[in-house]
Amino acid sequence: MTADVSTAAPEERQRSLLARHADFRRLFTAYSLSQVGTQVSYVAVPLVAIEALHAGSAQVSALAFLGSLPFLLVGLQAGAWLERMRRRPVLIVTDLVRGGLIASVPIAWAFDALTSVHLYLAVLLVGVATVFFEVASGAYIPHLVGRDNLLEANAKLGGMFAGAEVAGRSIGGFLVQALTAPYALVVNAVTYLWSALWLGVIRKQEPQVEKTGAAKPLWPDVKAGLGYVFGNGVLRTISLETSWSNFCLRIVITLVPVLYVSELHRSAALVGAFLTAGGAGVFVGAAVARRIGSKVGYGRALWLSGACCGPFALVVPFAVHGAAVWIGIVAWGLATVKVGFDNVLKGSIRQLVTADDMMARMGATYRFLITGVLAIGSGAAGVLAGTAGVRTAVLVGAAGLAVSWLMLFFSPVRAIRELPGTA
């Protein structure tokens, strides 16, 4: 027996609509394997630096800094540019560019020509392409599925991204062990091509962007996006709290490979296990966020997830010796459940409170803040590790993550019971 969509409950109807949405399935397919490959490189790239190029904590931190720096350099401009063009071609081109850049690393390694400069430049340029991909994606999804389906779409994509973290980081640790870190990156290069091919077969056409004759200056549009985000109490709070959380997460994630491999001489597979646990936590959070949010209120679900899960991060820098390292890995998985809640609920709230003609600029401003701060976190990781030691630096990042929920508790987000526009 099949449910009658016209008489189903709202949540069931929403799921049924997405289940029959062929273009969303194509988008989902495009992103799925691509995200697995991205997570493989998340494990492999710092290990290329550590194992193949003999990098220390300062060099690994610099690599992470360069990967996030483009969000500070072109993040705001990207939103203004993308308001003036169709988004799907941007998604396809940036996938192809990222695939080529990632492929250049194992090719150079195979010919004994890989250098630190090559790796740093590849990471920087992949970061530039990722800026445009992520801003375009955030603005494209509401057009593709419609606002009524945003929560369900974000829940599905959030769950998939988290599942990709689990699978990709597990596969990444295995591939690094089996093939060496540079060759593990081949997987990521192939998956970017996969994503571009599936995005290319989406049928729904975007409307043509009106040509205005003389090119308009970008700064007024950039300024409007900044004003839009900081002038809205909900958007402002979500942006600032996520930025702080990302800053703290970056410190921990940047330095754990150095702590495990360089300082404690543990297996690289433990780095993969640590990152896999984080992905599992995100997956669990994304899977239950919508259900818990509907029961206790979406704002309350956001701060409660941070208050209950964030403090587990404090276990990581202390549980590092012998079998105790697995306690730290499990604790990290519990801490990142908060991130899964954030990905689903914050994303839907942002998109639903934002007007269509501000979507790309809001998304660019948001990503400028939350991803640009990763560059700062990477730099801070190197400075803290150099002055106070790697374990102390990890503890600082964990402590910051443990208290980030307070920003949501003392803000208008706390009062959000229903998602805007869906009550």
Side-chain angles (χ1 to χ4, degrees):
M1 181 181 295
T2 59
D4 181 355
V5 172
S6 63
T7 60
E11 281 194 12
E12 294 175 353
R13 182 179 180 184
Q14 199 171 54
R15 283 195 292 270
S16 299
L17 286 168
L18 282 178
R20 294 186 291 107
H21 199 303
D23 280 338
F24 178 75
R25 292 199 303 273
R26 295 182 181 105
L27 180 85
F28 189 93
T29 304
Y31 285 2
S32 57
L33 192 57
S34 172
Q35 285 298 313
V36 171
T38 298
Q39 298 308 318
V40 169
S41 75
Y42 201 74
V43 176
V45 166
L47 292 176
V48 169
I50 292 171
E51 296 183 350
L53 300 175
H54 311 293
S57 60
Q59 290 84 3
V60 173
S61 297
L63 196 63
F65 172 81
L66 288 172
S68 303
L69 181 62
F71 282 89
L72 291 175
L73 297 179
V74 297
L76 292 174
Q77 299 94 314
W81 280 323
L82 287 167
E83 292 288 0
R84 307 175 186 189
M85 64 185 70
R86 292 186 293 177
R87 286 71 184 262
R88 187 166 67 104
V90 175
L91 296 174
I92 295 169
V93 170
T94 51
D95 263 341
L96 294 174
V97 169
R98 292 189 294 176
L101 289 167
I102 289 293
S104 73
V105 175
I107 291 171
W109 173 254
F111 288 95
D112 198 26
L114 182 64
T115 64
S116 296
V117 172
H118 182 154
L119 184 61
Y120 290 159
L121 186 60
V123 167
L124 177 65
L125 294 177
V126 167
V128 173
T130 299
V131 171
F132 285 91
F133 184 91
E134 292 193 1
V135 174
S137 178
Y140 181 63
I141 291 170
H143 158 78
L144 185 69
V145 303
R147 287 176 174 266
D148 290 345
N149 291 318
L150 271 178
L151 180 59
E152 179 68 15
N154 286 328
K156 287 182 180 295
L157 290 170
M160 180 272 291
F161 290 153
E165 287 189 23
V166 177
R169 294 178 185 186
S170 298
I171 294 168
F174 171 77
L175 290 175
V176 168
Q177 292 285 101
L179 303 176
T180 72
Y183 289 137
L185 291 176
V186 173
V187 174
N188 189 203
V190 172
T191 58
Y192 281 137
L193 175 60
W194 165 277
S195 177
L197 290 172
W198 276 99
L199 289 168
V201 298
I202 290 176
R203 294 178 180 175
K204 185 174 182 180
Q205 296 296 314
E206 292 178 85
Q208 289 286 349
V209 179
E210 289 186 24
K211 303 294 183 181
T212 57
K216 291 170 54 183
L218 286 177
W219 176 243
D221 286 346
V222 170
K223 185 177 178 181
L226 285 165
Y228 194 86
V229 170
F230 282 97
N232 182 299
V234 170
L235 291 176
R236 180 175 64 248
T237 301
I238 286 176
S239 299
L240 294 177
E241 193 274 338
T242 307
S243 297
W244 174 251
S245 294
N246 279 2
F247 174 81
C248 299
L249 284 164
R250 177 49 64 98
I251 291 175
V252 175
I253 291 173
T254 297
L255 294 176
V256 160
V258 180
L259 177 64
Y260 284 3
V261 178
S262 297
E263 296 215 342
L264 301 175
H265 308 292
R266 307 299 295 266
S267 167
L270 280 179
V271 177
F274 177 84
L275 297 174
T276 298
V282 176
F283 179 81
V284 171
V288 302
R290 191 162 56 100
R291 183 175 301 174
I292 293 178
S294 66
K295 291 183 180 297
V296 306
Y298 293 97
R300 184 181 295 174
L302 281 172
W303 73 259
L304 275 176
S305 65
C308 294
C309 300
F312 281 103
L314 294 168
V315 177
V316 172
F318 297 105
V320 293
H321 296 294
V325 71
W326 292 103
I327 298 175
I329 288 172
V330 171
W332 182 246
L334 294 172
T336 56
V337 170
K338 164 195 170 3
V339 180
F341 272 79
D342 289 353
N343 288 348
V344 173
L345 300 184
K346 287 180 180 176
S348 298
I349 291 170
R350 287 189 301 106
Q351 289 168 330
L352 287 165
V353 302
T354 301
D356 287 338
D357 62 349
M358 291 298 297
M359 194 69 71
R361 280 175 282 177
M362 179 280 296
T365 302
Y366 182 72
R367 282 171 175 78
F368 170 81
L369 294 169
I370 72 164
T371 310
V373 79
L374 297 179
I376 302 171
S378 300
V383 172
L384 285 169
T387 56
V390 174
R391 286 182 66 183
T392 301
V394 173
L395 177 60
V396 170
L401 186 64
V403 300
S404 67
W405 62 274
L406 291 170
M407 297 176 68
L408 296 172
F409 185 81
F410 295 106
S411 79
V413 174
R414 177 185 173 187
I416 296 176
R417 178 73 190 179
E418 300 287 344
L419 285 182
T422 64

